[in-house]
Amino acid sequence: MTRTPGTVWSARRHARAVRPRTDTQVGELMHQPGAMPVPPAAPADGQTSGHVQLPPGAVIPAAAAAPGAAVPDAAHAGVAVLLIGPAGAGKTTVARHWAERRPVPTAHISLDDVREWVRAGFADPRAGWNDRSEAQYRLARRTCGFAARNFMANGISCILDDAVFPDRPAVGLGGWKRHVGPGLIPVVLLPGLDVVLERNAARTGTRRLSDEEVATIHGRMAGWYGSGLPIIDNSRHDVATTARMLDEAVARSLTSPPQW
């Protein structure tokens, strides 16, 4: 059979289409304008869920504490803060208030909000912690970490909030340190159990937990005592006062960064 130039070109195009691409070619395709991202194979390190990895970027470096340095002006410092606490601690409310009232550009990134970007197929942790809910949590954490680094690289401070457990590596500080960097400042917000139960009772939708779940989470959060991280008991403080206490904790961490 005589092949026309068009037939030869079509055959060559087909051969290129079915030929396996190298990792380098896949990476180039993912960065072509308008190209559909091709998910790479999931690494076998147990640290990812198999989704497309976000660009690594530059992690936020830890601040070096100068001997005898004065307490810095935390209100004007460029910082990335992680506000930790159980359900009902007031993390999101305090973080939003703190971000809105700083004299320098500051963003608020809530991990729960990012997790709930998934609508169809959302793995609700209330139905039980499993591989799907953990995979979606890890994906949300990486997304938040990338956003924090991007904001900081553009001169915008940020505060993130998450219920990080001191005794569970999957939802622990190690992942945040890996995705944001050692310059992230963790602060624990831990009011009394009666306070978080009352606040949880006022919630609706997926944010509302059973009293048993709230009590269990709160009990595990008590493990942060003795960890060296700054802890704020906001049981008897309003949002504005708690935000001022957060400023003080951040200032102390800038002077003497906690070991975590």
Side-chain angles (χ1 to χ4, degrees):
M1 180 179 67
T2 303
R3 294 184 177 180
T4 65
T7 304
V8 172
W9 179 85
S10 178
R12 288 175 178 169
R13 182 178 60 179
H14 176 72
R16 287 196 299 269
V18 300
R19 186 181 304 137
R21 292 188 175 95
T22 66
D23 290 343
T24 299
Q25 290 171 327
V26 169
E28 291 172 349
L29 176 60
M30 290 175 63
H31 291 88
Q32 288 177 1
M36 178 65 71
V38 180
D45 59 3
Q47 300 301 317
T48 68
S49 58
H51 297 279
V52 178
Q53 276 297 111
L54 291 168
V59 299
I60 299 173
V71 176
D73 179 8
H76 291 82
V79 295
V81 177
L82 175 63
L83 193 59
I84 301 167
K91 301 184 300 296
T92 300
T93 303
V94 171
R96 184 180 296 120
H97 179 94
W98 186 81
E100 288 175 347
R101 285 158 179 78
R102 294 193 83 218
V104 295
T106 306
H108 169 224
I109 307 170
S110 172
L111 182 128
D112 280 345
D113 288 347
V114 175
R115 280 197 311 109
E116 291 175 359
W117 287 353
V118 178
R119 307 308 296 177
F122 174 67
D124 193 338
R126 296 179 304 170
W129 190 261
N130 52 40
D131 290 345
R132 289 183 63 247
S133 54
E134 184 169 322
Q136 290 186 11
Y137 172 85
R138 290 181 185 275
L139 176 60
R141 185 173 60 190
R142 291 200 308 275
T143 303
C144 291
F146 175 73
R149 297 196 311 270
N150 207 0
F151 278 123
M152 291 290 288
N154 286 277
I156 300 176
S157 293
C158 61
I159 181 167
L160 309 101
D161 66 79
D162 182 24
V164 181
F165 291 96
D167 59 348
R168 189 166 185 177
V171 287
L173 277 179
W176 283 110
K177 190 172 187 177
R178 183 169 61 254
H179 296 305
V180 180
L184 182 65
I185 299 174
V187 179
V188 181
L189 198 61
L190 192 56
L193 177 58
D194 55 334
V195 174
V196 297
L197 285 171
E198 181 180 349
R199 291 173 180 169
N200 178 69
R203 290 180 163 188
T204 58
T206 59
R207 305 290 176 93
R208 172 80 178 266
L209 304 178
S210 69
D211 287 351
E212 293 76 13
E213 289 175 303
V214 172
T216 299
I217 293 172
H218 186 274
R220 291 172 66 182
M221 289 288 175
W224 287 120
Y225 283 104
S227 66
L229 298 187
I231 297 177
I232 298 174
D233 181 350
N234 60 326
S235 300
R236 294 179 174 82
H237 301 301
D238 60 16
V239 175
T241 302
T242 305
R244 287 196 297 271
M245 296 173 72
L246 177 57
D247 262 334
E248 295 169 1
V250 170
R252 290 194 299 271
S253 294
L254 288 173
T255 303
S256 301
Q259 301 300 314
W260 60 288

